[in-house]
Amino acid sequence: MTRGMTMTCEEQQKQVHASRWVFGLATAALGAFLASGSASAYEEVTVSDGGTLTGVVKLEGAVPKPKGYNLTTLPDPFYCGRISDGEGWRILQPFNVGPKGEFREVVVYLEGIEKGKPFAEKEVPQIEAKDCLFLPFTTVVRDDQSVTVVNMDPVMHDIQAYETSNLGARVLFNVPLPMNPQHPRNFKDRTEAGMYHKHMAGPPMKELVKLSKGRRIFVMQCGFHAYMESWGVAITNPYFAKTDEQGRFTMTDVPPGTYKLVVWHPYIRTTTEQTVTIGPKGALETTIGVPAPIGRLYANEVLDHAYTRYNVTEETKKEIDPLLQKQEH
C-alpha cells in the first residue's frame, strides 16, 4: 500500500461504484445512439466514377471537463504518476480539441452505401498500453474480426472489454496483458520507477470482437488502472476516417449518390449527422459542427475545488512526480 494513503475501504468502494455507474450510463446512451437493425451485407465492386469527400469537424462550445483519478488508491502510482497533475491525480481528457475547435480523433463514416470499393487489406487494428494509457483512444474495427492489444509498459495491465447494450454492458473478453520479461519486475523506490522510460512490447493478445446483433460500440478499460480507456466503433463499409490534428478527414472512391455522414465520439450522446451528395468523380468539402455536451458527463469529473474528502496528504503528493508530463485540469 502506498505510504500516506488514508482512504477508507468504504471510500474506495464508492469510487469504484462511481466509475461503473458512469460507464454504464455512457454505454447505455451509446447503445441507443448507434443501435440499428439488420443490414444487408456490403458488396465489394470496382468503382470507376467515385468521388472524394473531405471535411473538417469542429467542437462548438466549451470543452468538457476531464476525469480525475486519485493515484494513491490505484496500483503503480509512481510509474503511472509520471503523467499526472503534481497533486497526486491522473487526468483523462476524452475530448481532444485544438485551439480553434478542431475536433481530433473522432470517427466519421458514411451510411447507406451497399456496394463500393473493397476494404483495405491492412493488419489487424492494434491498441497499445503505453505510459498507462490505451492508445489510440478511439479506433475503427470490423465486426467479427480481431484486435491486437500490446503492453509496452513495465507494469501489468488487464483488458476488460465490453459492448454496449440497452440493458447494460456485456463482456466481450477479459484477459491479462502481460509485460515484456526484459522489463524490471520490482522498482526499489519512487525515483527508480519514475525515471524508467523504456517501452518494450509484451506478448500480443489477439482478441475477437464479436458484437451482438445491432450493436456497434465496444470499450476497453484496464482492470488495474481505471484511467486507461479505448473505445471502438464497428463499421459496415470502408467509407470511414478519423480526424487528424486539424480536425480534417478524407474519403475517396465514394460511389455517386446521397448518403448520411455520421460523426462518432464515445462521449457525444446525441447524433451528429449530415446529408451529403457525391457526384460522378466529384469533390465535396464540408464542415461539421458538433455541439459540445453540457452538464456533468461522468461521476469522477475533475472538480473545481480540492479533493479533500480523499485525504491525500502532502507527503503522499510529493512522492508522485509528474516527470514525463504535468497535466492541467
Side-chain angles (χ1 to χ4, degrees), residues 91-109:
I91 309 302
L92 173 65
Q93 175 51 278
F95 291 83
N96 187 349
V97 182
K100 297 181 180 179
E102 306 94 334
F103 205 176
R104 304 160 175 164
E105 235 187 326
V106 296
V107 177
V108 291
Y109 60 89

Side-chain angles (χ1 to χ4, degrees), residues 3-311:
R3 184 162 56 90
M5 187 199 320
T6 56
M7 173 181 267
T8 66
C9 291
E10 181 181 357
E11 288 173 321
Q12 292 183 46
Q13 290 173 352
K14 286 181 180 179
Q15 184 176 10
V16 171
H17 290 164
S19 177
R20 298 296 181 231
W21 172 83
V22 70
F23 172 78
L25 179 63
T27 53
L30 287 163
F33 169 38
L34 283 169
S36 60
S38 60
S40 58
Y42 177 77
E43 181 183 354
E44 296 184 350
V45 298
T46 299
V47 179
S48 59
D49 57 351
T52 300
L53 173 63
T54 60
V56 176
V57 181
K58 291 183 176 289
L59 187 71
E60 299 176 338
V63 178
K65 292 181 179 180
K67 297 180 177 184
Y69 297 86
N70 183 352
L71 286 168
T72 65
T73 64
L74 296 168
D76 310 301
F78 304 141
Y79 179 79
C80 295
R82 297 173 314 139
I83 300 177
S84 60
D85 70 348
E87 296 292 323
W89 292 87
R90 181 69 182 248
I91 309 302
L92 173 65
Q93 175 51 278
F95 291 83
N96 187 349
V97 182
K100 297 181 180 179
E102 306 94 334
F103 205 176
R104 304 160 175 164
E105 235 187 326
V106 296
V107 177
V108 291
Y109 60 89
L110 290 173
E111 286 191 341
I113 300 183
E114 298 180 355
K115 58 183 179 180
K117 68 179 180 181
F119 282 90
E121 294 297 329
K122 293 184 177 180
E123 296 180 359
V124 172
Q126 179 165 304
I127 299 169
E128 292 185 349
K130 191 173 183 180
D131 294 321
C132 298
L133 291 170
F134 275 137
L135 301 173
F137 182 71
T138 57
T139 190
V140 179
V141 299
R142 293 176 65 181
D143 189 16
D144 210 16
Q145 292 197 347
S146 299
V147 296
T148 298
V149 190
V150 178
N151 186 4
M152 305 295 290
D153 286 339
V155 295
M156 285 292 294
H157 294 303
D158 173 72
I159 315 169
Q160 297 179 353
Y162 306 85
E163 70 168 357
T164 63
S165 167
N166 59 347
L167 299 177
R170 184 183 76 86
V171 176
L172 290 174
F173 48 87
N174 186 354
V175 295
L177 194 58
M179 54 190 265
N180 188 300
Q182 299 302 314
H183 280 308
R185 287 283 168 177
N186 294 296
F187 294 115
K188 295 179 181 178
D189 55 35
R190 66 185 180 90
T191 302
E192 187 177 82
M195 295 300 292
Y196 185 82
H197 288 185
K198 283 188 177 180
H199 296 114
M200 295 186 287
M205 307 301 291
K206 189 174 181 180
E207 298 295 330
L208 180 68
V209 178
K210 187 173 180 61
L211 303 174
S212 299
K213 183 179 180 180
R215 302 299 167 189
R216 297 179 63 177
I217 306 299
F218 82 96
V219 59
M220 290 189 345
Q221 186 177 39
C222 178
F224 301 133
H225 312 98
Y227 39 85
M228 295 178 63
E229 290 182 16
S230 182
W231 294 80
V233 58
I235 44 84
T236 57
N237 65 59
Y239 296 99
F240 65 88
K242 277 180 62 174
T243 56
D244 60 17
E245 286 294 299
Q246 287 73 46
R248 297 191 61 84
F249 67 90
T250 300
M251 299 181 203
T252 59
D253 298 320
V254 181
T258 298
Y259 311 107
K260 186 193 315 182
L261 177 64
V262 181
V263 179
W264 176 77
H265 181 277
Y267 286 98
I268 298 291
R269 299 172 189 169
T270 55
T271 304
T272 300
E273 59 185 42
Q274 188 179 92
T275 299
V276 295
T277 299
I278 308 296
K281 297 185 178 180
L284 177 65
E285 185 163 355
T286 185
T287 298
I288 307 173
V290 179
I294 58 176
R296 189 163 182 168
L297 300 184
Y298 5 81
N300 52 334
E301 179 182 279
V302 166
L303 303 179
D304 292 328
H305 56 79
Y307 295 78
T308 55
R309 66 185 183 277
Y310 291 122
N311 299 317

